[in-house]
Amino acid sequence: GGLRHKHSAQVILAKREELGAAAAPTIITADANSHMDGLDEDDGVQWLLSHGFEIAGKGPMMGGIDYIFVSKGHWSIGQTRVGPTAPSDHPGFAVQLTLFAEGGEVR
């Protein structure tokens, strides 16, 4: 699990760079299946956290295996709202995000 999760995180960030968006405000959503490797201690989660991202929110399933990550310094993170499970097998969730303007003010 962990090495595959780390590889997936690396591929996501490589694609971001390939698209010329390495410094752009970014949101990543993931069903990280991190319960197999210590939830937030999962290698993929840790890779994102050590490469410019923070956890904006986690879904309630299995201790939080679904994540919303945001690029550090670009977002104000607000409240999380959990929605229904159907039609998925995971409860839906949303996080209120506000993009900072250049210079760090909330837009």
Side-chain angles (χ1 to χ4, degrees):
L3 291 178
R4 287 190 311 247
H5 297 165
K6 180 178 179 180
H7 176 73
S8 295
Q10 290 169 330
V11 168
I12 290 168
L13 295 190
K15 178 55 82 172
R16 179 181 183 230
E17 190 167 330
E18 178 186 321
L19 293 170
T26 304
I27 301 168
I28 297 173
T29 61
D31 171 357
N33 285 321
S34 57
H35 63 292
M36 296 186 289
D37 298 297
L39 297 171
D40 291 355
E41 299 307 314
D42 175 83
D43 290 340
V45 171
Q46 286 299 308
W47 181 264
L48 292 173
L49 296 178
S50 66
H51 287 83
F53 285 82
E54 61 185 314
I55 297 170
K58 293 171 53 172
M61 186 171 184
M62 299 180 76
I65 64 172
D66 299 314
Y67 289 82
I68 298 175
F69 298 94
V70 294
S71 50
K72 288 181 186 172
H74 293 133
W75 305 94
S76 170
I77 300 169
Q79 294 183 339
T80 299
R81 185 173 45 100
V82 176
T85 298
S88 174
D89 62 336
H90 293 232
F93 72 104
V95 177
Q96 182 179 5
L97 299 171
T98 305
L99 183 63
F100 289 135
E102 289 189 38
E105 302 119 27
V106 176
R107 287 187 183 189

